[in-house]
Amino acid sequence: MNGVAQVAALLSAITYIAVSPLEMFLYDRPAVRRWLRVESADVGDVRMWAFVVGFRNLLAGAGTIVGLIILHNGNEVAGSAVVLTAAWYMLLASLAMGLADLLGHWRPRGGSVVGTLGSSVLPLVVLVAATL
């Protein structure tokens, strides 16, 4: 796996890990919901989903870092496989967020655009760069 893919994977992992506490533990704060571009009439009704999404993001980021560690400790095939699997997960999960918005499940409608782009560009860079 080339350097561009590895750097993009690391930056993506850091981003996913950094955002996860906001979703998992700080979702009830209005400033956090504004930053995440989410409106919820009853925070209690969506807190469980926010926690699960945050935890999945934490796992994706941690998995990516574990893959990079494996890669740099001499097992390039296994490390690359873990990193690529995590990148595919991050990309597809972010595209699902965009699809949910298109289906009208996001309030306000169109609010997922920044998050979808922000969470999908780096994993896409990983996948494209890894093929070069």
Side-chain angles (χ1 to χ4, degrees):
M1 178 173 288
N2 65 40
V4 171
Q6 291 179 53
V7 169
L10 181 61
L11 291 174
S12 188
I14 291 168
T15 301
Y16 270 68
I17 290 168
V19 171
S20 65
L22 301 176
E23 296 161 326
M24 294 172 66
F25 304 113
L26 303 172
Y27 186 80
D28 58 337
R29 298 181 182 187
V32 169
R33 289 194 309 282
R34 276 193 304 278
W35 191 81
L36 293 172
R37 290 177 171 71
V38 175
E39 292 178 6
S40 47
D42 189 347
V43 172
D45 286 344
V46 295
R47 183 175 288 149
M48 187 270 300
W49 287 287
F51 184 87
V52 171
V53 168
F55 192 75
R56 288 179 180 176
N57 287 342
L58 179 63
L59 290 175
T64 302
I65 290 173
V66 167
L68 290 168
I69 291 169
I70 293 169
L71 179 79
H72 284 273
N73 280 311
N75 195 337
E76 187 172 342
V77 173
S80 294
V82 172
V83 170
L84 292 173
T85 299
W88 273 111
Y89 171 82
M90 289 185 274
L91 177 62
L92 294 174
S94 23
L95 295 177
M97 181 170 56
L99 177 60
D101 194 344
L102 286 173
L103 294 172
H105 301 307
W106 195 283
R107 284 186 244 151
R109 192 156 195 175
S112 77
V113 172
V114 171
T116 299
L117 289 172
S119 60
S120 62
V121 169
L122 286 170
L124 182 59
V125 169
V126 172
L127 296 169
V128 171
T131 64
L132 303 176

